[in-house]
């Protein structure tokens, strides 16, 4: 692949897409073998992950094309209001506002990526490719920023509905009201380092959106990678039985090196749980089947790794940044005509008191 292609943010193609493929009703028959139907429900249970990915890939391609169509129309409208051509508008608002790629930036990029991309490319040729690629990347970024500024002042409603996966909240621990307009169902593993990274992200979401968001925690331990994860999941449910799930949740993620049975029992004691009841619950395997059911439901929904989230059924995979969650939550609230809370300003650190004499 040419180096420039690796650097450039390609514009989305403007094809006229067909209607987005969505799952048929689960009872729909797709084939018949010896008089017995093979239904959508059976196919979803077999190919859940690949089917979810295919639907998301199609939606993302469609979404990119729609976003590009919106950007083009906004720019055409703005150009017309100024009595200029779109090309002239782009020169004024995009091209003249993009800084050239300096020789120092070219050299720095070359040195950082020489072994990976430029092993057999003369340095002079590589620098030209870098200048062109980074320049085009900056141009695309500035164009996107300008389109976003036009969109912020326009009346735009996105009608394209994303694919959704039906995932039950079951009776698992939840934070937020059952009638919240947005429900985030999380499949997680207490020993997974990536899962721990999303804890502050979810706390920030609850701080901003309050009762507009409900977070449901479901277990998806991966014992092949994390041998203590399954027992930690049981510990969470044992703590839940005493009304302390979220406290145990936070403590286990904060101390992932203490998830063996003695460490879990120490965590329970630290939180002030009834130690005898907790220890009996954990040792008996009381919630082993519950944890296994969560994992089975996750597999049916297409979960293959953790953390995995479904925001009103919309899949988000991995420890995504806060902004990614906020974009989806804001879209969901907008679809329901619910208010979107403003981002809270960070609390400024208190100034140190002046020294006393």
């Amino acid at each position: 692949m040419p180096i420039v292609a690796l650097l450039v943010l390609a514009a989305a193609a403007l094809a006229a897409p067909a209607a987005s493929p969505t799952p048929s009703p689960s009872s729909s028959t797709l084939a018949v073998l010896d008089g017995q139907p093979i239904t959508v429900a059976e196919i979803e249970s077999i190919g859940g992950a690949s089917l979810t990915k295919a639907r998301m890939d199609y939606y993302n391609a469609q979404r990119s094309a729609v976003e590009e169509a919106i950007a083009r129309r906004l720019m055409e409208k703005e150009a017309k209001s100024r009595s200029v051509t779109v090309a002239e508008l782009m020169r004024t608002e995009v091209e003249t506002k993009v800084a050239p790629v300096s020789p120092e930036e070219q050299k720095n990029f070359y040195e950082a990526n020489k072994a990976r991309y430029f092993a057999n490319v003369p340095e002079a040729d590589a620098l030209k490719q870098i200048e062109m690629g980074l320049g085009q990347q900056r141009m695309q970024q500035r164009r996107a920023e300008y389109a976003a500024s036009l969109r912020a002042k326009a009346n735009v409603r996105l009608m394209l509905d994303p694919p959704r996966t039906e995932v039950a909240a079951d009776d698992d621990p939840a934070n937020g009201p059952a009638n919240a307009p947005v429900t985030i169902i999380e499949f997680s593993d207490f020993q997974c380092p990536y899962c721990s990274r999303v804890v502050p992200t979810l706390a920030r979401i609850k701080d901003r959106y309050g009762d507009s968001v409900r977070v449901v925690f479901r277990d998806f331990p991966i014992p092949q990678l994390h041998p203590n994860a399954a027992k930690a999941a049981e510990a969470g449910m044992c703590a839940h039985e005493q009304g302390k799930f979220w406290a145990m949740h936070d403590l286990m993620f904060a101390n992932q090196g203490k998830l063996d049975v003695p460490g879990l029992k120490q965590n329970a004691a630290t939180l002030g749980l009834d130690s005898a009841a907790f220890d009996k619950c954990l040792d008996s395997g009381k919630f082993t089947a519950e944890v296994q059911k969560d994992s089975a439901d996750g597999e049916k929904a297409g979960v293959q790794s953790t953390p995995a989230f479904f925001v009103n059924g919309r899949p988000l995979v991995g420890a995504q940044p806060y902004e990614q969650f906020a974009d989806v939550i804001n879209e969901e609230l907008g679809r329901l005509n619910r208010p979107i809370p403003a981002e809270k300003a960070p609390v400024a650190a208190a100034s140190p008191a002046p020294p006393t004499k």
Side-chain angles (χ1 to χ4, degrees):
M1 180 182 294
I3 299 304
V4 170
L6 296 170
L7 302 171
V8 176
L9 296 176
L14 264 180
S20 177
T22 54
S24 303
S26 60
S27 59
S28 296
T29 299
L30 300 179
V32 177
L33 174 63
D34 294 334
Q36 296 300 311
I38 296 175
T39 66
V40 169
E42 182 178 351
I43 297 306
E44 291 287 335
S45 69
I46 294 172
S50 59
L51 291 171
T52 296
K53 182 180 184 301
R55 285 192 284 265
M56 284 305 301
D57 287 346
Y58 185 89
Y59 167 76
N60 288 334
Q62 237 189 354
R63 176 70 179 263
S64 293
V66 170
E67 296 288 353
E68 176 63 14
I70 291 170
R72 291 187 184 189
R73 290 199 183 185
L74 288 170
M75 291 173 186
E76 290 168 0
K77 180 181 178 181
E78 181 67 13
K80 185 177 180 180
S81 72
R82 297 190 190 187
S83 299
V84 297
T85 65
V86 173
E88 290 170 332
L89 180 69
M90 290 298 95
R91 279 193 293 271
T92 301
E93 298 294 344
V94 177
E95 295 172 21
T96 63
K97 297 185 179 182
V98 173
V101 182
S102 69
E104 182 181 6
E105 290 173 318
Q106 297 171 37
K107 185 70 172 179
N108 289 343
F109 188 94
Y110 174 73
E111 293 297 337
N113 296 278
K114 179 166 54 176
R116 185 176 182 184
Y117 297 135
F118 306 108
N120 300 311
V121 180
E123 182 174 338
D125 292 343
L127 292 175
K128 289 179 182 178
Q129 291 182 26
I130 292 167
E131 181 182 21
M132 181 182 299
L134 290 181
Q136 290 180 352
Q137 187 181 59
R138 289 182 182 182
M139 202 75 72
Q140 291 287 348
Q141 179 62 33
R142 171 55 196 162
R143 181 181 183 272
E145 291 170 355
Y146 180 59
S149 70
L150 294 176
R151 182 169 179 159
K153 299 179 289 186
N155 181 19
V156 179
R157 281 200 310 141
L158 194 64
M159 309 301 290
L160 180 64
D161 196 39
R164 300 176 190 272
T165 301
E166 186 175 343
V167 184
D170 206 26
D171 57 352
D172 287 284
N175 184 0
N179 64 348
V182 176
T183 295
I184 300 174
I185 296 180
E186 172 185 9
F187 286 90
S188 191
D189 174 320
F190 283 111
Q191 203 176 353
C192 161
Y194 297 101
C195 298
S196 66
R197 294 180 190 176
V198 83
V199 172
T201 299
L202 293 174
R204 185 176 171 187
I205 288 169
K206 288 300 295 181
D207 183 54
R208 175 180 178 181
Y209 294 97
D211 286 348
S212 292
V213 171
R214 181 188 192 212
V215 178
V216 179
F217 187 94
R218 303 200 66 181
D219 292 296
F220 197 89
I222 305 177
Q224 301 92 326
L225 299 176
H226 308 130
N228 293 327
K231 209 62 182 175
E234 293 179 39
M237 294 305 297
C238 290
H240 183 47
E241 195 172 46
Q242 297 190 38
K244 290 288 186 73
F245 171 79
W246 292 105
M248 178 65 90
H249 164 282
D250 292 349
L251 188 56
M252 287 194 290
F253 274 129
N255 297 280
Q256 290 184 306
K258 293 181 62 177
L259 297 181
D260 56 1
V261 170
L264 295 170
K265 291 180 178 179
Q266 179 58 51
N267 286 341
T270 299
L271 294 174
L273 273 68
D274 180 331
S275 292
F278 179 88
D279 293 356
K280 181 179 179 181
C281 174
L282 191 63
D283 292 338
S284 69
K286 179 177 182 178
F287 289 106
T288 300
E290 169 66 24
V291 171
Q292 292 172 345
K293 181 179 184 300
D294 277 6
S295 293
D297 286 351
E299 289 176 2
K300 289 178 183 177
V303 176
Q304 294 182 305
S305 60
T306 55
F309 304 88
F310 295 88
V311 184
N312 282 1
R314 298 172 61 173
L316 277 179
V317 180
Q320 298 291 341
Y322 164 81
E323 291 75 15
Q324 185 72 32
F325 281 96
D327 286 346
V328 176
I329 293 169
N330 290 347
E331 280 189 18
E332 290 301 299
L333 292 174
R335 289 173 190 275
L336 297 169
N337 294 317
R338 298 295 186 93
I340 298 174
E343 180 68 89
K344 294 183 179 179
V347 178
S351 301
T356 57
K357 294 183 179 180

